[in-house]
Amino acid sequence: EQESIVRFCHGRGLDPGAGGRTLRADTLRADLFGDALPTVRAEATTLPFRDDTFDYVCNSHLLEHLPDPRAAIREWLRVVRPTGVVAMVIPDTRWTQGMNTDRTPHLHEWTPEDFQQRVLGWPWRVDWWQATGPLAWCAGSVLAMGVACPGWSFSVMIEKGVPS
C-alpha cells in the first residue's frame, strides 16, 4: 500500500495516526495513543505545528476513523507548505466490507466513487482512477487517485495550492 504514495512524499514529512510504523524512517510519527510510541502525541485533526511546516503529510487507514474527513484534510493541508502533498491510503469498502482491526471504530466506509462524491465533492466519475483537479472546499487539488492494494485499498494525493 505504501508504494502507491511514496513517490509523492519527499522532504520533511508527518504521519498522523502512524502508531509505531510509517512510510519512511525519517517521517515524524504523530498518534493520539502514547503506547504506540509516537514521536509526538497529538490528535490527527488538531496538530501542534505551525502552518507550512512539512513537505508532505501521509497516512494509511486513518481517515475513515475521523468524524469530519474534510476538516482532517484541511488541517493536514494547513501544515504542508504550498505545493506540499497530503497522501492517503483508504480502505475500499467493496473489499474490506467494514472489517476493522484497529482500536477505534470506522466512522466512514467508502468505495473510491463514494469518496469522490462525499469527501472530494465531485460528481461521480466512471474513471475515478484518473480524477484530478481543484477542490472547492479547501486550498488543494487532487494530484492522483489510484489502487493502493488490489482488492483492499485506494490512494488519494492532494496538493496544497500556492497562495495568490
Side-chain angles (χ1 to χ4, degrees):
E1 287 179 306
Q2 301 290 342
E3 289 299 315
S4 70
I5 64 172
V6 73
R7 70 185 174 100
F8 295 94
C9 301
H10 305 282
R12 185 168 186 224
L14 171 69
D15 187 344
R21 56 155 175 73
T22 192
L23 183 66
R24 296 183 353 206
D26 62 346
T27 302
L28 189 70
R29 293 178 291 103
D31 203 284
L32 182 60
F33 302 107
D35 63 344
L37 303 177
T39 313
V40 174
R41 192 164 179 187
E43 163 61 47
T45 57
T46 53
L47 298 169
F49 303 106
R50 292 184 177 157
D51 296 359
D52 308 330
T53 299
F54 298 97
D55 297 304
Y56 68 90
V57 170
C58 65
N59 57 71
S60 180
H61 296 262
L62 171 64
L63 196 62
E64 66 277 8
H65 296 272
L66 304 176
D68 186 342
R70 282 186 175 184
I73 293 168
R74 278 191 209 98
E75 175 67 356
W76 302 336
L77 286 168
R78 179 188 69 78
V79 300
V80 297
R81 64 170 170 71
T83 72
V85 174
V86 172
M88 302 170 283
V89 174
I90 301 164
D92 186 335
T93 196
R94 293 175 301 180
W95 311 108
T96 60
Q97 300 175 356
M99 186 185 322
N100 180 18
T101 59
D102 300 312
R103 65 172 92 185
T104 59
H106 283 190
L107 302 177
H108 308 278
E109 295 286 333
W110 299 293
T111 66
E113 295 87 357
D114 290 337
F115 188 85
Q116 200 172 32
Q117 260 186 334
R118 295 183 199 169
V119 179
L120 299 180
W122 288 344
W124 183 78
R125 299 178 183 181
V126 174
D127 59 344
W128 66 267
W129 58 90
Q130 295 177 351
T132 60
L135 299 170
W137 51 271
C138 68
S141 292
V142 174
L143 282 176
M145 289 183 72
V147 173
C149 180
W152 190 252
S153 58
F154 61 97
S155 58
V156 180
M157 275 59 66
I158 299 174
E159 180 181 52
K160 182 175 182 175
V162 177
S164 46

